[in-house]
């Protein structure tokens, strides 16, 4: 598992899907990202080929743990498809049986209302998911969320955390954006989404971009937004991303 | 007399919680009410509940009041503070004197912010599930008086109720792993912070006032806070139908 996380961090070549499947001891894995205004699921990587076919099927039908995890924002665990009520996924279940897929778990990638994608894990013959597999899959989903929020497939220098005094965690995960544990960051994200009239995921990006651009900790900038010392106006050049600050300029 | 009254109150709380554990109940709202009951029964100034996330860090899930200052203080404990120690060791840490720097040396940022918020002592009680710890109940006092053994036993009982509430949720659909319940609860919590911001901006009020109006609306209509929050953020609900709080002067 650590190996997979490290390879994500370094952005090394190789086949991340294969490495994930091996680390999770799963029959297959697929990662899809939600793209565009209508949040269509686009497969990014799958292993093995069966996973690719199943991924295509569940998102074409809109049935299964993947689409359901996207809708609810919560993990959907069905390691034994035989035990799923037929009317829950009427088209998918018979098709999955024909393909030889025995169990499927979907793990959403996102933060609160923000959804960036979903990790689908195909379970092997013993039709259960162990505590360890679950812990590894959620850790992986969290790491991938962090990586995609950083705007790259791997960590960049931004989130190392010196800014707010916490030590970097070299052995842990691809850089998880720091400050996301603070309530003010999520509150500010909600406020900015209204100020700019943009979706919540874009609001978080704009907030982080501003913190990065002004070399200030994310939490501090967010606290300024919540206290209304800083406002993101939509009348400014988006490329500069410069919010309007009524009293102190860029602090 | 006081002990009698307290026992009766405690019995009422257990009944209230048991009544709440119906299918699809609102875990965030229940934990909020439970935090408020801790304040009342233990005669402390504030209470908060933290759960461990996928990174193994503690995240805030509910508090006795939603003032951002208290939420931020609790949030500091993702990497330092008495709850982190309680989580790692599985043992309660009680009657911690925040005014003595030799006691708080391991987590200076937390201690400073707690003192600035007006607290002089704190307690951390583990949320235990069999042999593992899934979070902590954090209590704060703004006047110095010690919690006795009875108080601490009561605090542990309330922490156990919180654990049951979190892990009960959605057992019908997802009986496999307890962790997914923790994860769902934490996702809901972040969603609620996001919606506080959305509403505060639309109404031009503080986030604290926005939350109060939001919760009243949800309770009056028997909606789960996280479901209502998701509807608002998705734009599926016209927020003009929610009575806005009076504007801050």
């Amino acid at each position: 598992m650590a190996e997979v996380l490290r390879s994500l961090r370094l952005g090394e070549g190789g086949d991340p899907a294969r490495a994930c499947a091996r680390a999770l001891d799963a029959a297959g894995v697929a990662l899809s990202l939600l793209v565009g205004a209508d949040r269509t699921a686009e497969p990014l990587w799958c292993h093995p080929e069966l996973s690719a076919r199943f991924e295509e099927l569940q998102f074409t039908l809109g049935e299964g743990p993947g689409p359901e995890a996207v809708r609810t924002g919560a993990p959907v665990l069905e390691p034994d498809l035989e035990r799923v009520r037929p009317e829950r996924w009427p088209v998918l279940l018979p098709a999955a049986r024909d393909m030889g897929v025995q169990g499927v778990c979907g793990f959403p990638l996102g933060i609160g209302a923000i959804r960036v994608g979903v990790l689908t894990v195909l379970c092997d013959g013993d039709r259960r998911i162990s505590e360890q597999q679950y812990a590894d899959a959620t850790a992986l989903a969290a790491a991938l969320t962090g990586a995609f929020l950083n705007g790259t497939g791997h960590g960049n220098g931004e989130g190392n955390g010196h800014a707010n005094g916490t030590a970097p965690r070299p052995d842990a995960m691809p850089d998880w954006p720091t400050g996301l544990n603070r309530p003010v960051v999520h509150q500010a994200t909600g406020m900015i989404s209204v100020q700019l009239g943009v979706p919540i995921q874009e609001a978080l990006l704009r907030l982080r971009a501003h913190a990065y651009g002004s070399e200030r900790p994310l939490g501090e900038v967010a606290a300024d937004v919540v206290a209304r010392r800083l406002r993101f106006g939509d009348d400014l050049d988006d490329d500069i991303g410069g919010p309007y600050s009524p009293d102190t300029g860029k602090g | 007399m006081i002990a009698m009254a307290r026992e009766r109150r405690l019995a009422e709380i257990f009944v209230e919680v048991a009544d709440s554990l119906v299918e699809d109940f609102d875990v965030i709202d229940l934990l909020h009410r439970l935090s408020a009951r801790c304040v009342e029964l233990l005669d402390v100034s504030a209470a908060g509940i933290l759960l461990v996330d996928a990174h193994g860090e503690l995240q805030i899930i509910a508090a006795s009041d939603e003032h951002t200052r208290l939420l931020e203080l609790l949030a500091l404990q993702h990497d330092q503070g008495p709850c982190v120690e309680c989580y790692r060791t599985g043992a309660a840490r009680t009657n911690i004197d925040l005014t003595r720097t030799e006691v708080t040396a391991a987590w200076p940022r937390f201690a400073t912010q707690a003192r600035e918020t007006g607290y002089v002592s704190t307690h951390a009680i583990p949320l235990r599930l069999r042999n593992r710890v899934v979070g902590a109940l954090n209590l704060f006092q703004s006047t110095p008086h010690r919690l006795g053994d009875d108080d601490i036993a009561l605090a542990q009982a309330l922490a156990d109720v919180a654990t049951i509430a979190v892990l009960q949720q959605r057992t019908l659909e997802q009986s496999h792993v307890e962790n997914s319940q923790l994860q769902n609860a934490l996702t809901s919590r972040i969603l609620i912070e996001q919606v506080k911001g959305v509403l505060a901006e639309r109404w031009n009020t503080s986030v604290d006032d926005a939350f109060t109006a939001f919760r009243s609306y949800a309770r009056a209509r028997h909606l789960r806070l996280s479901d209502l929050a998701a509807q608002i953020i998705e734009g599926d609900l016209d927020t003009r139908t929610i009575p806005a709080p009076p504007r801050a002067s």
Side-chain angles (χ1 to χ4, degrees):
Chain A
M1 195 64 205
E3 203 180 305
V4 175
L5 295 176
R6 204 163 26 245
S7 78
L8 289 168
R9 160 188 269 280
L10 299 173
E12 281 170 355
D15 184 348
R18 184 194 296 267
C20 281
R22 200 172 52 223
L24 296 173
D25 195 19
V29 295
L31 176 71
S32 286
L33 295 186
L34 303 177
V35 298
D38 55 355
R39 319 299 293 147
T40 314
E42 277 299 328
L44 185 67
W45 38 255
C46 304
H47 178 85
E49 200 266 335
L50 175 65
S51 261
R53 280 192 290 133
F54 182 81
E55 192 74 352
E56 179 81 39
L57 180 69
Q58 66 169 349
F59 282 104
T60 304
L61 297 173
E63 293 182 8
E68 206 165 291
V70 170
R71 270 197 299 278
T72 61
V76 176
L77 310 176
E78 293 300 347
D80 183 359
L81 289 179
E82 295 289 326
R83 292 178 49 187
V84 177
R85 283 175 289 110
E87 65 273 21
R88 186 166 165 206
W89 300 319
V91 188
L92 180 84
L93 289 173
R97 196 178 301 123
D98 292 346
M99 291 166 78
V101 172
Q102 324 213 28
V104 186
C105 298
F107 298 87
L109 272 55
I111 300 175
I114 299 172
R115 308 273 155 79
V116 297
V118 61
L119 179 72
T120 298
V121 177
L122 302 189
C123 306
D124 59 14
D126 65 359
R127 296 173 183 277
R128 55 184 292 279
I129 176 169
S130 70
E131 189 115 4
Q132 187 61 50
Q133 282 174 313
Y134 180 88
D136 287 349
T138 39
L140 182 61
L144 291 167
T145 302
F148 291 120
L149 284 176
N150 279 333
T152 58
H154 55 91
N156 56 22
E158 192 210 325
N160 269 341
H162 329 293
N164 68 358
T166 56
R169 294 175 299 165
D171 300 319
M173 308 205 163
D175 302 334
W176 178 251
T178 52
L180 291 179
N181 55 295
R182 291 188 61 180
V184 282
V185 171
H186 306 301
Q187 294 168 358
T189 300
M191 290 176 71
I192 293 165
S193 79
V194 176
Q195 288 170 3
L196 296 176
V198 297
I200 197 103
Q201 49 266 38
E202 190 181 331
L204 179 59
L205 279 178
R206 298 286 289 265
L207 175 63
R208 296 182 63 222
H210 179 68
Y212 185 61
S214 55
E215 295 181 348
R216 297 173 62 205
L218 183 61
E220 202 179 279
V221 175
D224 278 355
V225 173
V226 171
R228 295 199 160 80
R229 289 187 293 266
L230 179 67
R231 196 180 159 78
F232 284 64
D234 50 0
D235 50 347
L236 294 165
D237 186 348
D238 276 3
D239 290 325
I240 297 167
Y244 166 67
S245 179
D247 41 19
T248 58
K250 287 201 173 185
Chain B
M1 274 301 281
I2 293 166
M4 276 283 285
R6 190 157 91 165
E7 262 176 33
R8 190 175 313 125
R9 194 73 194 95
L10 183 61
E12 284 168 13
I13 290 166
F14 283 126
V15 170
E16 178 186 342
V17 170
D19 280 348
S20 306
L21 293 177
V22 293
E23 191 183 348
D24 238 22
F25 72 98
D26 189 337
V27 67
I28 305 275
D29 194 44
L30 179 63
L31 293 179
H32 164 74
R33 280 185 286 157
L34 203 56
S35 308
R37 298 290 176 260
C38 287
V39 168
E40 176 193 338
L41 273 175
L42 298 165
D43 197 22
V44 294
S45 308
I49 297 174
L50 300 146
L51 293 181
V52 65
D53 70 5
H55 301 273
E57 292 189 348
L58 292 176
Q59 304 292 349
I60 174 182
I61 187 75
S64 53
D65 70 70
E66 287 275 335
H67 286 111
T68 299
R69 218 176 153 68
L70 175 60
L71 298 182
E72 286 282 297
L73 176 60
L74 290 163
L76 265 185
Q77 297 189 81
H78 71 285
D79 66 351
Q80 63 164 274
C83 286
V84 177
E85 290 177 8
C86 170
Y87 168 68
R88 288 188 185 142
T89 62
R93 293 223 40 202
T94 53
N95 294 305
I96 300 166
D97 187 344
L98 290 167
T99 61
R100 291 171 51 202
T101 46
E102 71 272 23
V103 173
T104 63
W107 17 270
R109 257 191 313 142
F110 173 79
T112 304
Q113 197 164 324
R115 280 196 303 271
E116 283 171 8
T117 313
Y119 301 128
V120 296
S121 66
T122 186
H123 320 267
I125 314 285
L127 261 56
R128 284 186 301 229
L129 175 76
R130 295 189 291 274
N131 57 355
R132 56 187 283 236
V133 182
V134 297
L137 168 66
N138 200 187
L139 307 170
F140 294 96
Q141 286 170 288
S142 47
T143 52
H145 80 92
R146 290 182 68 81
L147 286 190
D149 289 348
D150 286 353
D151 296 312
I152 291 161
L154 178 57
Q156 184 64 61
L158 291 162
D160 293 344
V161 171
T163 309
I164 291 166
V166 173
L167 298 179
Q168 264 290 301
Q169 220 206 2
R170 301 200 182 171
T171 43
L172 294 177
E173 285 288 325
Q174 299 172 358
S175 58
H176 306 289
V177 193
E178 285 132 358
N179 292 20
S180 70
Q181 274 106 33
L182 294 178
Q183 198 61 39
N184 293 349
L186 290 168
T187 295
S188 300
R189 178 72 230 178
I190 293 171
L191 188 58
I192 287 166
E193 298 301 340
Q194 290 167 341
V195 88
K196 278 186 196 177
V198 168
L199 293 175
E201 185 62 25
R202 281 196 192 146
W203 292 335
N204 195 22
T205 58
S206 71
V207 287
D208 297 349
D209 290 343
F211 178 74
T212 306
F214 167 77
R215 189 176 56 207
S216 304
Y217 183 87
R219 280 187 178 168
R221 279 155 194 79
H222 304 289
L223 296 168
R224 291 202 303 174
L225 298 179
S226 53
D227 291 344
L228 181 61
Q231 280 181 34
I232 291 171
I233 290 178
E234 292 296 317
D236 295 340
L237 182 114
D238 184 353
T239 50
R240 282 172 300 187
T241 61
I242 304 176
R247 301 216 167 175
S249 53

